[in-house]
Amino acid sequence: MFGTSDERRLLWRHMREPVLTAGALMVMLGITVALGATLPFAHVWIVELAVAGAMVATILWFSMEVRHEPPLVKLFAGIGFFWVGILFTMTLVDYLSRG
C-alpha cells in the first residue's frame, strides 16, 4: 500500500519525532483542559502554568529543532520566548488592573 517495508521504515524514522511531539502536546492540552474544567484544588493555576511551560519547552526544543542549533541561536530563541512572556505578563497586568 505505501511501498516496500524499507520505505515504510524510512517514513517512520522521519515521522516518529513529529508524531510523538504532537502526541505529547495533545496529552498536555488534555491535562490543562481537565484541570480547568474540574478545578480540583484552589491553586490549580500553578499546575496549569507549569504544563504551559512544558508545552512551550516542547515546541521550542522539538518542533523548532533548537537543540540542533549552535549555542548563539539557542540563546536568542530563549531570549525571544522570554520576551514574549514579558509581553503577555504586561498585557495581563493591564487587563487585570482595569477590571
Side-chain angles (χ1 to χ4, degrees), residues 20-42:
L20 292 176
T21 302
L25 288 170
M26 292 302 288
V27 167
M28 288 187 269
L29 177 65
I31 291 170
T32 303
V33 169
L35 288 174
T38 59
L39 295 173
F41 51 92

Side-chain angles (χ1 to χ4, degrees), residues 78-92:
I79 290 171
F81 270 89
F82 181 71
W83 182 249
V84 168
I86 289 173
L87 292 175
F88 277 120
T89 302
M90 289 171 36
T91 303
L92 181 63

Side-chain angles (χ1 to χ4, degrees), residues 7-98:
E7 290 173 346
R8 285 192 297 265
R9 246 183 266 124
L10 182 64
L11 177 65
W12 173 246
R13 193 172 345 143
H14 289 309
M15 292 301 296
R16 179 178 56 219
E17 186 176 313
V19 168
L20 292 176
T21 302
L25 288 170
M26 292 302 288
V27 167
M28 288 187 269
L29 177 65
I31 291 170
T32 303
V33 169
L35 288 174
T38 59
L39 295 173
F41 51 92
H43 296 291
V44 71
W45 63 271
I46 297 170
V47 178
E48 290 175 343
L49 190 61
V51 172
M55 290 174 80
V56 167
T58 301
I59 290 170
L60 183 67
W61 199 249
F62 294 106
S63 294
M64 293 176 65
E65 297 182 355
V66 170
R67 69 178 187 270
H68 299 299
E69 297 296 329
L72 188 61
V73 174
K74 291 178 184 178
L75 174 70
F76 278 94
I79 290 171
F81 270 89
F82 181 71
W83 182 249
V84 168
I86 289 173
L87 292 175
F88 277 120
T89 302
M90 289 171 36
T91 303
L92 181 63
V93 166
D94 181 54
Y95 178 75
L96 291 175
S97 65
R98 291 178 188 234

